[in-house]
Amino acid sequence: MATKRALEGKLAVVAGFENPQASLEQYPTPPGLAAHVVHIADLQGDIQGRTVVDLGTGTGMLALGAALRGPARVVGLELDRAALDTARANQKRVGTTTPIHWLHGDATRAPLCIEEPVTVVMNPPFGAQDGHEGADRAFLVTAADIADVSYSVHNAGSQEFVEAFAADNAGEVTHAFQATFDLDRQFDFHEEVKREIETEVYRIEWRN
């Protein structure tokens, strides 16, 4: 197994959004965070030989990270067609030979029916924009429906919500850890050039 640092290095070439949409909270997942999530998932036996689904894949950071750790296949589901085009280009940059299926669709109404065990990895919108509160809940609904296990990134202070949601939907939080999300200025309402925000990552086992 390659080191987490080596994985982060390979993901450093992944390009972000050309025209990010604030309504979709399109913030690129930092390579370090993606490598950390994927590395933990791999250590838990949740990547190799499995089908990995990245809900709201954006430009493919988590999907490509998973693809570099020996899954049977990866599915990247994204609503923004332009972001999917970038994800396909990023696949060539990273150079993985793992089969990756880039699908256009809404992660909250995922057009997926997968027979084999599924691991979901996702960095869903946090619901920080007015009118989009609780956006990450809809992604968790999909994860509960299609996954045997999921890894998801949430805003700091989400533990009570995530644990309660899991308990109400035949799931159990087995691991949780904090992670820093480096956020570059990309929208007019951002006042700082760069900002670090604290996030939380949860591993949930779902009893489907």
Side-chain angles (χ1 to χ4, degrees):
M1 180 188 298
T3 65
K4 181 175 67 174
R5 179 168 297 190
L7 181 59
E8 180 180 351
K10 290 184 177 181
L11 294 176
V13 301
V14 173
F17 299 94
E18 289 189 16
N19 296 293
Q21 300 181 48
S23 62
L24 297 179
E25 294 191 42
Q26 289 182 324
Y27 301 105
T29 304
L33 176 57
H36 192 33
V37 172
V38 170
H39 186 69
I40 294 295
D42 199 13
L43 289 175
Q44 294 299 316
D46 295 328
I47 300 291
Q48 192 165 13
R50 294 173 66 97
T51 292
V52 179
V53 176
D54 182 4
L55 296 175
T57 191
T59 64
M61 182 67 80
L62 283 168
L64 291 166
L68 290 168
R69 285 298 180 91
R73 61 172 173 161
V74 174
V75 177
L77 182 63
E78 173 57 44
L79 187 61
D80 182 357
R81 290 186 183 277
L84 276 179
D85 289 341
T86 302
R88 293 186 183 96
N90 281 331
Q91 182 179 356
K92 295 178 181 178
R93 293 186 182 98
V94 170
T96 176
T97 58
T98 296
I100 303 180
H101 309 279
W102 303 108
L103 301 182
H104 177 248
D106 186 344
T108 66
R109 294 188 294 272
L112 298 172
C113 183
I114 302 172
E115 299 280 333
E116 63 270 18
V118 169
T119 296
V120 160
V121 293
M122 61 181 181
N123 177 20
F126 295 162
Q129 300 300 313
D130 290 341
H132 296 274
E133 293 83 358
D136 52 352
R137 180 185 180 87
F139 279 68
L140 283 173
V141 169
T142 299
D145 183 50
I146 70 170
D148 296 88
V149 61
S150 67
Y151 292 79
S152 52
V153 183
H154 300 267
N155 214 352
S158 296
Q159 181 175 355
E160 183 177 354
F161 153 65
V162 173
E163 289 183 344
F165 180 90
D168 289 342
N169 291 272
E172 179 184 3
V173 174
T174 62
H175 298 72
F177 56 90
Q178 294 180 325
T180 300
F181 196 123
D182 295 321
L183 188 64
D184 292 328
R185 186 181 190 276
Q186 57 183 13
F187 298 118
D188 291 341
F189 57 82
H190 287 163
E191 297 178 354
E192 302 170 87
V193 175
K194 183 183 286 290
R195 180 185 176 194
E196 287 188 354
I197 61 174
E198 294 303 316
T199 62
E200 297 166 353
V201 181
Y202 293 91
R203 179 186 186 271
I204 305 174
E205 291 182 356
W206 305 99
R207 297 179 294 277
N208 294 320

